[in-house]
Amino acid sequence: MSGELEDRFFATTRGDSRISIVIAQNDATCKLSRENRFLIDDPNTLTPMAYILSKPLKIGMTYNDAGVYKFVLQEVTGTGDDNKELMIADYYKYFPKEIKNEHSDETYGDGQSEGNESTVTPGKKVWL
């Protein structure tokens, strides 16, 4: 929680959390922008904290393509696309989850049975 000073004797608590990180400048970090989210927390926690890059400060601390960036991150709500085991935000947007099939013999639109496949990937077009 962070606070804002209303006057000398009264501080208001805000309902969000912001952190800053210093990260090395390289080919991967120079591509980071306001759309990037991160999971930053103790690896043993059940619900890790999610943060979005809110202020990418990329100037002032680099020279000749070497140096560091200072980023300010704001706490956001985690999503179903986050891989909490690997601590990678938006992981399942790029690597879809495999969904277990409850029925081993699915009948598709052409009347043929698919067989004993145990997984169906999201986005696969089938007749119900």
Side-chain angles (χ1 to χ4, degrees), residues 40-58:
I40 302 174
D41 210 335
D42 181 355
N44 296 321
T45 188
L46 296 176
T47 55
M49 302 292 288
Y51 293 88
I52 193 165
L53 176 55
S54 62
K55 293 184 181 176
L57 306 172
K58 294 184 178 182

Side-chain angles (χ1 to χ4, degrees), residues 9-29:
F9 304 105
F10 181 72
T12 302
T13 303
R14 297 180 59 202
D16 67 340
S17 174
R18 296 174 196 261
I19 61 173
S20 66
I21 62 171
V22 177
I23 192 165
Q25 187 267 343
N26 59 34
D27 291 338
T29 58

Side-chain angles (χ1 to χ4, degrees), residues 6-128:
E6 294 289 328
D7 62 29
R8 291 180 58 187
F9 304 105
F10 181 72
T12 302
T13 303
R14 297 180 59 202
D16 67 340
S17 174
R18 296 174 196 261
I19 61 173
S20 66
I21 62 171
V22 177
I23 192 165
Q25 187 267 343
N26 59 34
D27 291 338
T29 58
C30 72
K31 297 175 186 175
L32 296 175
S33 65
R34 291 181 187 265
E35 293 85 33
N36 294 106
R37 296 175 56 251
F38 304 91
L39 297 181
I40 302 174
D41 210 335
D42 181 355
N44 296 321
T45 188
L46 296 176
T47 55
M49 302 292 288
Y51 293 88
I52 193 165
L53 176 55
S54 62
K55 293 184 181 176
L57 306 172
K58 294 184 178 182
I59 59 172
M61 294 177 277
T62 60
Y63 181 74
N64 287 340
D65 294 329
V68 295
Y69 294 143
K70 186 172 183 180
F71 293 151
V72 176
L73 307 175
Q74 181 177 356
E75 181 183 347
V76 294
T77 304
T79 68
D81 291 330
D82 298 340
N83 186 325
K84 295 175 185 173
E85 292 81 26
L86 297 177
M87 295 291 287
I88 301 174
D90 297 330
Y91 180 85
Y92 295 117
K93 283 185 177 179
Y94 307 102
F95 303 101
K97 293 180 186 179
E98 288 187 353
I99 301 171
K100 298 290 181 190
N101 217 352
E102 292 183 23
H103 306 288
S104 60
D105 290 329
E106 291 284 338
T107 303
Y108 295 92
D110 58 2
Q112 295 183 3
S113 178
E114 183 65 18
N116 290 331
E117 286 189 24
S118 61
T119 61
V120 175
T121 56
K124 186 175 180 180
K125 305 292 185 199
V126 295
W127 291 99
L128 297 178

